[in-house]
Amino acid sequence: MPQYSPGDPLPGPLPEWFPRGMALLRDPSLNKGSAFTLRERDMLGLCGLLPPHVSSQEEQVERVLENFRRIDSPLERYIMLQALQDRNEALFYRVIMENPDEMMPVIYTPTVGLACQQYGHIYRSPRGLYVSAADRGKVSSVLRNWPYRDARIICVTDGERILGLGDLGASGMGIPIGKLALYTSCAGVHPRRCLPVMFDVGTNNEALLEDPLYLGMRQRRLTGGEYDGLMAEFLEATQEVFPGIVVQFEDFANHNAFRLLHEYHDRIPCFNDDIQGTAAVTVAGILSSLRVTGGALRDQTFLFLGAGEAATGIADLLTAALVAEGMDEVSARQRCWMVDSRGLVVRSRVTLAEHKRPYAHEHPQVQDFLDAVEILRPTAIIGVGAVANAFTREVIETMTRLNERPIIFALSNPTSKSECTAEQAYGWSGGKALFASGSPFDPVDFEGRRFVPRQGNNSYIFPGVGLGAVTVQASRITDSMFMAAARALAEGVDQADLDQGSLYPSLQRVREVSLQIAVAVARVAFAEDLARIPEPADLDAVMGEQMYDPAYISYVG
Ligand code: NAD
């Protein structure tokens, strides 16, 4: 069945299947609510089903905002926006796109975390697809139940490590749903092209297993061959049912995240945002910092607090960038050092997870992060260990003694886990720090200057990467695409941003920046012979035309 919705080109004469009357008002991809014109109401069987006044979309936005702002509870705001998405998709996206600073923390972190914790309790209506342990042998038929044949990007989680909240099993479904809403709002990937998937292999969370309202499989997690077999069947089915569809792995625990990426990145178009998206957004922040310091990437030394998916992903991308500049791989990896819960990651440590080994250098053991700063003299410290307040006054003062402009990224989420606050970073460094954070911080006034810190938010990267990859039908998603995305994002930062200490552009400009990222990713796809469409003469224009616009179209000409 052909499908279209607001944001598509004018459909011409309406086909037989086009819903009318109440069925039309109940279809969120077509519904305009009180904005149906009198002529549409006349021709589509809507007379009497709506209040007489014909609203503009602007009026509807105003009504939504008024209702939204009357609600104090973030979770209730989340529920309200979900209801809007289930009722009128175009209006939902219009509201989010016009108010990103206010809406993104509700549809994504931090509120989506609360929503996942309560998922079985706040569940209203189905959204996305569940592939579960009970579907072994028939996963492709489950995928075929999805109503839209033109799905082009899947975001999938197995719910084992949802944000910093641990194993939430099938309640993790809020994450792919939220993430895909960002693909549409930040980069204009059409909602119909986005498919959220919950890969439900059970949960080891006792509280959920005992919760009568829990909606997932009531069993302990599949592991080993059973897990791998179901995942292989699922990934194979994605390519069979939706040829060339991009798969984004999201919030998988370390032991599966690295393994799955390693195993599949050369076989299907896939990536892991926790590893690669984080890497690109952080590298972009570093490139912006270097515009201020005037330093070269090859002269930096990075010290990470944390050695998990984020740290390894960032270090891998930095290594790839340095190798591309002509440095040998061993020397490039030597630029990155990591401190985990047992101290500095060094070669002599006996038990080290596989993903940490490339960064385990020959060096005596150092237990304390401050000592590591003194000894290694980093130009940048990057906090991704979720250890609150780990960047102490001494750490930041030492960094400021060692560097004219120390790069200090406190990326751990949520705010309560941040390694330091923006105020501490600017205050303790005497206004010298080049600061970025994982959670939002308000502007800081220090000695007559106003600093506007910005979030190293993955939403700057993955939507643009997705738009680019989907538009050119990339057969693989490569590190060079993420590096191109990082460079495009850094180029989107203007001098006025840098002057106020902002290492990222404002979220208000995210669509414009995403478009540039998508174009940069597409160029890499063409250069690396990974695109499955001929290269268009005007790539920028073609990419721009792909972007979903939530403005209503007329259904009756
Ligand atoms: P992860 O679980 O893969 O890694 C966490 C790492 O921290 C592990 O290596 C662990 O050994 C280390 N660690 C734990 N306790 C420690 C301690 N006391 N001292 C030093 N290290 C310690 O998680 P991740 O995906 O790498 O995410 C880590 C943090 O980064 C989270 O808070 C997450 O919210 C944040 N993050 C931010 C962004 C962003 O801002 N764009 C993106 C991704 C992750």
Side-chain angles (χ1 to χ4, degrees), residues 110 386-390 412-421 439-441:
V387 186
N389 307 315
S412 290
N413 290 312
T415 319
S416 59
K417 293 277 169 78
S418 194
E419 287 76 10
C420 66
T421 64
S439 300
F441 282 107

Side-chain angles (χ1 to χ4, degrees), residues 263-550:
E263 200 169 323
Y264 288 101
H265 79 282
D266 269 345
R267 292 161 61 182
I268 61 170
C270 66
F271 70 98
N272 180 312
D273 182 56
D274 306 304
I275 301 173
Q276 295 161 289
T278 303
V281 79
T282 308
V283 170
I286 288 164
L287 296 176
S288 297
S289 305
L290 297 183
R291 280 172 60 188
V292 178
T293 64
L297 196 58
R298 65 181 172 278
D299 297 328
Q300 310 303 308
T301 302
F302 302 97
L303 177 61
F304 295 83
L305 183 72
E309 294 178 31
T312 320
I314 300 164
D316 284 350
L317 194 59
L318 286 167
T319 301
L322 289 169
V323 168
E325 283 185 8
M327 194 182 273
D328 67 273
E329 189 175 324
V330 174
S331 311
R333 292 207 192 274
Q334 289 274 355
R335 297 276 157 206
C336 298
W337 295 79
M338 295 178 187
V339 169
D340 67 7
S341 51
R342 303 221 212 115
L344 192 63
V345 173
V346 289
R347 191 73 60 81
S348 59
R349 275 177 46 179
V350 259
T351 49
L352 263 185
E354 198 57 44
H355 63 272
K356 300 183 189 180
R357 285 182 201 278
Y359 301 100
H361 306 307
E362 209 60 73
H363 194 280
Q365 175 60 290
V366 179
Q367 210 54 45
D368 184 59
F369 188 71
L370 177 60
D371 291 342
V373 173
E374 287 282 11
I375 295 166
L376 298 169
R377 306 172 72 83
T379 51
I381 51 174
I382 299 171
V384 276
V387 186
N389 307 315
F391 293 171
T392 58
R393 181 176 198 124
E394 290 75 18
V395 165
I396 290 175
E397 285 177 352
T398 306
M399 281 297 287
T400 312
R401 175 162 50 75
L402 296 172
N403 300 283
E404 172 63 28
R405 300 297 305 270
I407 299 172
I408 294 175
F409 287 5
L411 297 184
S412 290
N413 290 312
T415 319
S416 59
K417 293 277 169 78
S418 194
E419 287 76 10
C420 66
T421 64
E423 201 168 356
Q424 290 167 337
Y426 294 123
W428 293 338
S429 68
K432 299 283 188 189
L434 292 159
F435 177 78
S437 54
S439 300
F441 282 107
D442 288 335
V444 174
D445 292 311
F446 178 78
E447 294 185 349
R449 270 190 76 188
R450 167 155 283 217
F451 293 90
V452 182
R454 294 230 170 100
Q455 223 183 327
N457 191 326
N458 291 30
S459 315
Y460 285 118
I461 293 287
F462 69 82
V465 171
L467 176 67
V470 157
T471 303
V472 303
Q473 297 172 29
S475 58
R476 300 289 176 271
I477 314 286
T478 60
D479 266 351
S480 39
M481 291 178 187
F482 280 98
M483 197 59 218
R487 289 194 197 287
L489 175 56
E491 280 161 21
V493 179
D494 55 35
Q495 193 56 46
D497 289 323
L498 294 178
D499 290 344
Q500 59 177 17
S502 303
L503 303 175
Y504 296 99
S506 145
L507 266 182
Q508 293 288 344
R509 290 181 47 221
V510 68
R511 270 172 78 90
E512 175 199 327
V513 173
S514 292
L515 175 59
Q516 292 315 314
I517 289 175
V519 169
V521 166
R523 286 199 202 290
V524 174
F526 287 117
E528 294 184 349
D529 208 16
L530 296 172
R532 285 185 281 210
I533 63 163
E535 186 163 1
D538 189 348
L539 187 56
D540 287 70
V542 168
M543 198 65 76
E545 282 161 17
Q546 290 290 312
M547 291 177 85
Y548 170 78
D549 177 355

Side-chain angles (χ1 to χ4, degrees), residues 37-106:
T37 62
L38 296 180
R39 187 169 147 73
E40 283 172 327
R41 293 174 189 209
D42 218 20
M43 297 186 66
L44 297 170
L46 297 172
C47 290
L49 299 182
L50 293 163
H53 174 74
V54 176
S55 304
S56 64
Q57 200 179 43
E58 290 71 28
E59 286 166 0
Q60 291 181 309
V61 169
E62 196 182 321
R63 187 175 295 116
V64 170
L65 289 177
E66 199 178 295
N67 282 297
F68 180 88
R69 287 170 185 157
R70 213 182 17 242
I71 302 172
D72 290 328
S73 147
L75 188 59
E76 295 301 325
R77 286 181 161 195
Y78 177 90
I79 293 169
M80 184 211 149
L81 289 179
Q82 281 263 294
L84 177 61
Q85 191 177 14
D86 289 341
R87 200 167 63 238
N88 181 336
E89 197 168 77
L91 184 56
F92 169 80
Y93 282 111
R94 180 81 187 259
V95 167
I96 292 172
M97 285 177 197
E98 287 184 355
N99 303 276
D101 290 315
E102 197 173 358
M103 299 295 157
M104 279 172 60
V106 181

